[in-house]
């Protein structure tokens, strides 16, 4: 078993693996504060099938084949699927080369979400790091189910920060704006890790040089390399932003973040603005007149403290013990 203990916080990860999703899985499984009940997959960075296979591959790398993987939505609620293979590579895990998974996925993500949240009301934290299609489908099939989560930590959106897929929208919210709006409007206890914080924490080339010469260290170096090269070409900076691990960080150590309650909603109609987080921060408006719902948004983070927590966990003793057995 992993490093969790009897008083660890039960969590479900909903992801579109994707390189930073893989790092989020490694962080969650290497953190004694969390007990991962299962991983749900969704179409996003890559297709559902590729993402599901990647989740299984990463779990095998970590020696954690006991963690179930539940495939979910093969595309957004209403739009054509958009992918991010220019960042994550056609296989979704950069230049890494993990063996094919030796096991298949379990049932269905939406059923797993509904059954688990209903069986453990107020106990389970959802950590959603891909488009929110699975969560929206769960809410549509079982109205009120998302409010049964202890907390819903979401990597998505941009409040005061420019978008990363359009001038104003972040990829997860752009890929399925209708789902993002439905989750925001569900009344669930949402804590958002928008680009405002995720653009403040990145892997640099120096970090790669310090990674352990183990299968896990080799995996991370290979996975992030193409995205870092792309960043070098377009931004003149070899960086890999730790978007999804920061959503896990919200569940592990919220004190790393400056969190502000913002009245917000998600745009779904605009040609130029679909997926945008619209925050109502007007100076001369009473709370009762604000547009949107009150959402906790992480708007700053202690990047040094986060990285000091991140590296020991993704290369945690449990994992390196597994490495030593290879
Ligand atoms: O915008 C960043 C988000 O989009 C991350 O979750 C990344 O994995 C991609 O899904
Ligand atoms: Ca993701």
């Amino acid at each position: 078993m992993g490093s969790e203990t009897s008083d660890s916080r039960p969590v479900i990860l909903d992801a579109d693996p994707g390189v930073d999703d893989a790092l989020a899985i490694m962080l969650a499984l290497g953190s004694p504060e969390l007990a991962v009940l299962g991983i749900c997959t969704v179409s996003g960075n890559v297709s559902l099938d590729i993402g599901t296979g990647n989740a299984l591959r990463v779990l095998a790398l970590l020696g954690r084949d006991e963690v179930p993987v539940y495939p979910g939505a093969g595309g957004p609620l209403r739009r054509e699927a958009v992918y991010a293979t220019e960042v994550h590579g056609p296989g979704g895990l950069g230049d890494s080369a993990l063996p094919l998974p030796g096991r298949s996925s379990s049932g269905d993500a939406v059923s797993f979400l509904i059954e688990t949240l209903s069986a453990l009301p107020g106990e389970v934290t959802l950590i959603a790091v891909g488009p929110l299609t699975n969560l929206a489908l769960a809410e549509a099939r079982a109205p009120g189910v998302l409010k049964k989560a202890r907390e819903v930590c979401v990597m998505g959106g941009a409040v005061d920060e420019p978008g990363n897929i359009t001038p104003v929208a972040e990829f997860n919210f752009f890929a399925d704006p209708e789902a993002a709006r439905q989750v925001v409007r569900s009344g669930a206890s949402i804590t958002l890790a928008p680009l405002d914080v995720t653009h403040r924490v990145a892997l640099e080339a120096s970090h790669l040089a310090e990674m352990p010469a183990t299968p896990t260290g080799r995996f991370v170096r290979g996975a992030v390399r193409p995205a870092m090269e792309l960043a070098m070409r377009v931004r003149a900076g070899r960086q890999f932003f730790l978007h999804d691990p920061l959503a896990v960080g919200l569940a592990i150590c919220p004190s790393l973040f400056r969190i502000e309650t913002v009245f917000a909603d998600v745009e779904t109609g605009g040609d130029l603005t679909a997926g945008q987080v619209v925050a109502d921060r007007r100076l001369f408006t009473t709370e009762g007149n604000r547009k949107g719902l009150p959402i906790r948004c992480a708007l700053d983070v202690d990047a040094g403290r986060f990285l000091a927590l991140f590296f020991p966990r993704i290369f945690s003793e449990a994992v390196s013990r597994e490495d030593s057995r290879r």
Side-chain angles (χ1 to χ4, degrees):
M1 280 304 283
S3 49
E4 61 265 14
T5 64
S6 57
D7 57 2
S8 297
R9 182 171 179 173
V11 302
I12 294 173
L13 267 172
D14 187 84
D16 57 333
V19 175
D20 57 328
D21 305 72
L23 296 175
I25 292 169
M26 295 170 73
L27 176 59
L29 290 174
S31 295
E33 301 87 349
L34 305 182
V36 177
L37 303 179
I39 294 174
C40 298
T41 53
V42 65
S43 168
N45 287 318
V46 289
S47 71
L48 174 67
D49 288 350
I50 294 175
T52 303
N54 288 343
L56 292 165
R57 281 177 169 84
V58 171
L59 289 168
L61 171 72
L62 302 177
R64 298 298 302 274
D65 285 344
E66 84 282 1
V67 178
V69 175
Y70 299 93
L77 295 181
R78 294 192 204 143
R79 298 172 186 246
E80 288 300 310
V82 290
Y83 302 120
T85 47
E86 71 283 359
V87 173
H88 300 270
L93 293 178
D95 282 348
S96 65
L98 292 180
L100 286 172
R103 65 178 171 122
S104 58
S105 56
S106 308
D108 156 68
V110 176
S111 303
F112 174 68
L113 286 168
I114 293 170
E115 287 158 15
T116 308
L117 292 175
S118 303
L120 301 168
E123 294 183 39
V124 179
T125 297
L126 296 188
I127 302 176
V129 295
L132 295 175
T133 318
N134 289 341
L135 276 67
L137 289 170
E139 184 66 18
R141 195 189 300 175
V145 75
L146 294 182
K147 283 197 280 194
K148 294 179 179 175
R150 169 179 167 179
E151 185 176 13
V152 184
C153 298
V154 174
M155 191 282 133
V159 179
D160 299 320
E161 184 83 356
N164 61 358
I165 189 78
T166 72
V168 295
E170 173 279 326
F171 177 82
N172 289 334
F173 281 22
F174 174 76
D176 198 341
E178 287 75 18
R181 169 176 282 194
Q182 289 175 28
V183 172
V184 164
R185 291 184 175 185
S186 70
S189 174
I190 294 170
T191 307
L192 201 60
L195 296 178
D196 305 68
V197 282
T198 67
H199 278 167
R200 301 184 189 204
V201 189
L203 291 186
E204 313 280 350
S206 58
H207 293 127
L208 300 196
E210 294 155 14
M211 288 189 179
T214 59
T216 317
R218 282 191 291 276
F219 164 70
V220 175
R221 273 197 300 274
V224 303
R225 192 181 300 118
M228 285 179 124
E229 293 310 320
L230 172 67
M232 187 67 195
R233 290 194 299 275
V234 301
R235 249 194 335 268
R238 257 193 194 82
Q239 285 180 317
F240 182 81
F241 291 124
L242 294 175
H243 300 292
D244 295 345
L246 280 171
V248 177
L250 285 172
I252 296 171
C253 186
S255 67
L256 292 174
F257 300 86
R258 176 172 66 79
I259 295 172
E260 184 184 314
T261 296
V262 176
F263 277 75
D265 203 346
V266 180
E267 177 57 60
T268 56
D271 293 341
L272 296 175
T273 56
Q276 179 179 10
V277 169
V278 180
D280 187 347
R281 299 161 106 181
R282 287 175 288 178
L283 292 178
F284 304 105
T285 300
T286 60
E287 193 163 293
N289 291 333
R290 290 203 186 282
K291 294 286 185 192
L293 281 94
I295 304 289
R296 282 191 307 282
C297 294
L299 296 178
D300 199 354
V301 61
D302 183 330
R305 280 181 60 206
F306 177 80
L307 289 171
L309 167 153
F310 175 71
F311 287 115
R313 282 168 168 78
I314 66 167
F315 298 124
S316 63
E317 185 193 338
V319 172
S320 53
R321 258 204 313 273
E322 188 56 31
D323 286 340
S324 63
R325 278 203 282 269
R326 291 185 189 288

